[in-house]
Amino acid sequence: MSDSAKRPAAAATNGHDDQETKRARLAQIVQDQQLLASQSIPTPHTPKVIQTVRLPDALRKKILITGGAGFVGSHLTDRLMSEGHEVVVLDNFFTGRKANVEHWLHHPNFSL
Protein backbone atom coordinates (compact mmCIF):
# COMPACT_ATOMS: atom_id res chain seq x y z
CA MET A 1 0.00 0.00 0.00
CA SER A 2 1.38 3.43 -0.89
CA ASP A 3 1.91 6.30 1.55
CA SER A 4 -0.82 8.35 -0.14
CA ALA A 5 -3.38 5.66 0.67
CA LYS A 6 -2.46 5.81 4.38
CA ARG A 7 -2.71 9.60 4.69
CA PRO A 8 -6.53 9.99 4.51
CA ALA A 9 -6.97 7.58 7.42
CA ALA A 10 -4.45 9.56 9.48
CA ALA A 11 -6.18 12.81 8.58
CA ALA A 12 -9.53 11.39 9.62
CA THR A 13 -8.07 10.29 12.95
CA ASN A 14 -6.58 13.76 13.53
CA GLY A 15 -9.92 15.34 12.65
CA HIS A 16 -11.66 13.08 15.17
CA ASP A 17 -9.05 13.96 17.82
CA ASP A 18 -9.53 17.65 17.06
CA GLN A 19 -13.29 17.27 17.51
CA GLU A 20 -12.79 15.48 20.84
CA THR A 21 -10.37 18.19 21.99
CA LYS A 22 -12.86 20.90 21.01
CA ARG A 23 -15.68 19.09 22.86
CA ALA A 24 -13.50 18.72 25.96
CA ARG A 25 -12.56 22.43 25.85
CA LEU A 26 -16.19 23.43 25.38
CA ALA A 27 -17.27 21.22 28.29
CA GLN A 28 -14.61 22.86 30.50
CA ILE A 29 -15.75 26.34 29.48
CA VAL A 30 -19.37 25.48 30.29
CA GLN A 31 -18.33 24.04 33.65
CA ASP A 32 -16.29 27.18 34.44
CA GLN A 33 -19.23 29.43 33.51
CA GLN A 34 -21.57 27.44 35.73
CA LEU A 35 -19.10 27.80 38.61
CA LEU A 36 -18.84 31.56 38.05
CA ALA A 37 -22.64 31.79 37.98
CA SER A 38 -22.97 30.00 41.31
CA GLN A 39 -20.63 32.02 43.55
CA SER A 40 -18.56 35.15 44.03
CA ILE A 41 -14.83 35.19 43.38
CA PRO A 42 -12.60 35.50 46.47
CA THR A 43 -10.49 38.66 46.49
CA PRO A 44 -8.01 40.13 48.98
CA HIS A 45 -10.72 42.60 50.08
CA THR A 46 -13.45 39.93 50.30
CA PRO A 47 -11.80 36.52 50.81
CA LYS A 48 -15.08 34.76 51.70
CA VAL A 49 -16.89 33.04 48.81
CA ILE A 50 -20.60 33.90 48.68
CA GLN A 51 -22.81 31.22 47.13
CA THR A 52 -25.69 32.28 44.90
CA VAL A 53 -29.03 30.60 44.26
CA ARG A 54 -30.37 30.06 40.74
CA LEU A 55 -33.86 31.55 40.71
CA PRO A 56 -36.43 30.83 38.00
CA ASP A 57 -37.06 33.75 35.66
CA ALA A 58 -40.48 34.42 37.21
CA LEU A 59 -38.95 35.01 40.66
CA ARG A 60 -35.67 36.72 39.70
CA LYS A 61 -35.77 40.51 39.86
CA LYS A 62 -33.45 43.02 38.17
CA ILE A 63 -32.53 45.56 40.83
CA LEU A 64 -30.68 48.88 40.48
CA ILE A 65 -28.65 49.94 43.52
CA THR A 66 -27.43 53.52 43.50
CA GLY A 67 -24.33 53.91 45.63
CA GLY A 68 -23.82 50.15 45.43
CA ALA A 69 -20.04 50.34 45.90
CA GLY A 70 -20.38 52.06 49.28
CA PHE A 71 -20.61 50.38 52.68
CA VAL A 72 -24.39 49.92 52.84
CA GLY A 73 -24.84 49.42 49.08
CA SER A 74 -22.17 46.71 48.85
CA HIS A 75 -23.76 44.75 51.69
CA LEU A 76 -27.16 45.09 50.00
CA THR A 77 -25.56 43.89 46.76
CA ASP A 78 -24.10 40.84 48.52
CA ARG A 79 -27.49 39.98 50.02
CA LEU A 80 -29.43 40.36 46.76
CA MET A 81 -26.83 38.47 44.74
CA SER A 82 -26.80 35.60 47.24
CA GLU A 83 -30.59 35.40 46.86
CA GLY A 84 -30.16 34.98 43.08
CA HIS A 85 -31.35 38.35 41.76
CA GLU A 86 -29.79 40.36 38.93
CA VAL A 87 -28.09 43.46 40.35
CA VAL A 88 -27.02 46.63 38.56
CA VAL A 89 -24.76 48.89 40.63
CA LEU A 90 -24.54 52.59 39.82
CA ASP A 91 -21.86 54.48 41.71
CA ASN A 92 -19.61 57.49 41.07
CA PHE A 93 -17.00 56.17 43.56
CA PHE A 94 -16.97 59.48 45.43
CA THR A 95 -17.15 57.67 48.77
CA GLY A 96 -17.63 54.08 47.56
CA ARG A 97 -14.84 51.78 46.38
CA LYS A 98 -14.77 49.32 43.50
CA ALA A 99 -13.05 46.86 45.85
CA ASN A 100 -16.35 46.54 47.77
CA VAL A 101 -18.02 44.81 44.81
CA GLU A 102 -15.09 43.43 42.78
CA HIS A 103 -15.85 39.88 43.89
CA TRP A 104 -19.03 40.03 41.76
CA LEU A 105 -17.50 41.48 38.58
CA HIS A 106 -17.38 38.15 36.71
CA HIS A 107 -20.82 36.97 37.77
CA PRO A 108 -23.37 36.97 34.92
CA ASN A 109 -26.12 38.49 37.14
CA PHE A 110 -24.01 41.52 38.10
CA SER A 111 -23.39 44.79 36.26
CA LEU A 112 -21.34 47.77 37.41
Side-chain angles (χ1 to χ4, degrees):
M1 185 179 272
S2 68
D3 289 335
S4 61
K6 293 180 184 177
R7 285 187 198 145
T13 304
N14 288 340
H16 181 68
D17 290 342
D18 290 342
Q19 290 293 338
E20 290 299 319
T21 304
K22 287 178 183 178
R23 283 189 191 118
R25 263 193 250 145
L26 182 61
Q28 184 63 43
I29 290 170
V30 168
Q31 185 179 8
D32 291 347
Q33 288 297 322
Q34 289 172 344
L35 179 64
L36 286 174
S38 68
Q39 66 184 25
S40 67
I41 306 243
T43 63
H45 186 71
T46 312
K48 185 177 102 177
V49 173
I50 302 170
Q51 298 294 322
T52 59
V53 178
R54 180 143 176 94
L55 287 176
D57 291 340
L59 297 176
R60 187 174 55 235
K61 296 177 183 176
K62 190 166 198 170
I63 301 165
L64 171 68
I65 302 175
T66 56
F71 179 77
V72 175
S74 65
H75 285 84
L76 180 60
T77 299
D78 289 343
R79 175 65 182 259
L80 293 170
M81 288 294 295
S82 69
E83 291 177 0
H85 298 289
E86 293 182 41
V87 175
V88 178
V89 168
L90 180 67
D91 202 303
N92 63 2
F93 301 114
F94 187 71
T95 58
R97 298 183 325 163
K98 188 175 184 179
N100 290 341
V101 292
E102 71 181 349
H103 53 283
W104 293 116
L105 289 177
H106 297 289
H107 197 284
N109 288 354
F110 180 80
S111 300
L112 180 62

